[in-house]
Structures are given as structure tokens and as C-alpha cells.
Amino acid sequence: DAKTTQPNSMESNEEEPVHLPCNHSTISGTDYIHWYRQLPSQGPEYVIHGLTSNVNNRMASLAIAEDRKSSTLILHRATLRDAAVYYCILTLSGNTGKLIFGQGTTLQVKP
Amino acid sequence: EAQVTQNPRYLITVTGKKLTVTCSQNMNHEYMSWYRQDPGLGLRQIYYSMNVEVTDKGDVPEGYKVSRKEKRNFPLILESPSPNQTSLYFCASSYRWAQTNTGELFFGEGSRLTVL
């Protein structure tokens, strides 16, 4: 199964940009890259997803490497509310319902 | 309000006493799924359902059963709970996932289960 590798933890200062990396060297051609985050004591929430091109939405940007073996979630201006565990996830080819979350990156935001 | 509702939110039970954790969504989603979250292991998928009457195993299905008799509900059944099933459980649903493996997954608030 396709797996992702993320750093266990990262720190950022408030109002500075944050780049959260994810390696997925075994990604298949039709796997989508998804990012979710989990705030303390809450269920995960959707952040962004993409296939090949970079994506932007109101929450973040997703930069996907040309070979698709890695991607970066970009929070343009971190706030204290962005402190959470961020999960980089791949769907599995073949339109299955399986989803592998992995360990995620714990982001600390310092005032 | 669009939401995924889980019940109970907290439960302490004893080994062997059958229990059901309910999950209901009001968004007409086809795809629903259950996860458990344990310290150091992250979120692991238990079962998922692509549509009514269609269910399949995730990564850790042992000790669990599910059913999908109607679109809005996807209960998780522990026929004979054991202490190693003590965990935080999340249900999720999605409109487009069944067709495209894309779209947004909506998660419930979680159910914390303790089996003594």
C-alpha cells in the first residue's frame, strides 16, 4: 500500500508561513494527495487535496512535486488556531474506500 | 446543520458485553467509514462502506462488525469487547468519495470507549 512519511513535529512562529512536507515515493499515477488536520479534542477536518497541479483554497496551498513523490502543505500565515496534527494521506488506486492516515506532523505555533 | 453524529460520546463497559456505537449523517453521503485512534498509532481504518449494503474491511477489522442498511446510518458493533479495543473512535462520511476518491471527508466528534 502507498505510504506517506512526515516529520513527527514542527514549530512555527505566529503570522509566519509554515511549510509542512510529506514524502510519498510509492505513489501511483491515480492516487490523490489529501491533507487533513486534527485540532485538540476534535475529529480530523479536511484541509486540501490535489492530484498533479498545485492547489489553493481559503485554508492553505498544496504544492506537489513534478514527479509527485513529495508534496508540501503551505499555511501562509500561521495562527495559534493552526496548532494541530496534520495528516498527509494518499487514496489507493482503483477507487477503493481504503484510506491510510499515518502518524502525522504535530505543529506547534508560538506567539 | 450538516453533521456526522456519533453516540455515545463516552462509554465505559466490561469485557464481553456487546455494544454498538451509532453513526448518523444528514448529508445524503454514499461513503461512510470508521476509524480508531490510539496513542503512537495514529488513525487506523476499521471498516468502510461505499454505499448501502456495501461494506468492506479496512486495516484493523478484527473484533468489529458493521452494517449499512440505510444511507444515513453506519453503526459499529463490538460483539464481545476486549480491553485492547479501548480507544477513541471516529466515524466519517463523504459525498464524492465513492465515485472519485476525492472530496471532503466529514468526521464526527469521536466516541471514547473504555473496556475494563
Side-chain angles (χ1 to χ4, degrees), chain A residues 1 32 34 36 38 41-46 49 87 91-103, chain B residues 31 35 37 40-43 45 48 50 57-59 90 97-105 107-109:
Chain A
D1 289 343
Y32 279 81
H34 301 254
Y36 280 75
Q38 187 173 19
S41 302
Q42 294 188 25
E45 64 177 354
Y46 171 81
H49 77 277
Y87 296 97
T91 55
L92 299 186
S93 300
N95 193 30
T96 74
K98 273 200 166 187
L99 198 59
I100 300 174
F101 265 76
Q103 298 274 12
Chain B
Y31 177 86
Y35 303 85
Q37 186 169 36
L41 297 176
L43 279 152
Q45 192 178 39
Y48 62 92
M50 300 288 267
K57 296 177 181 178
D59 281 336
F90 289 100
W97 202 275
Q99 296 86 10
T100 65
N101 286 131
T102 65
E104 182 176 350
L105 276 170
F107 282 81
E109 294 185 330

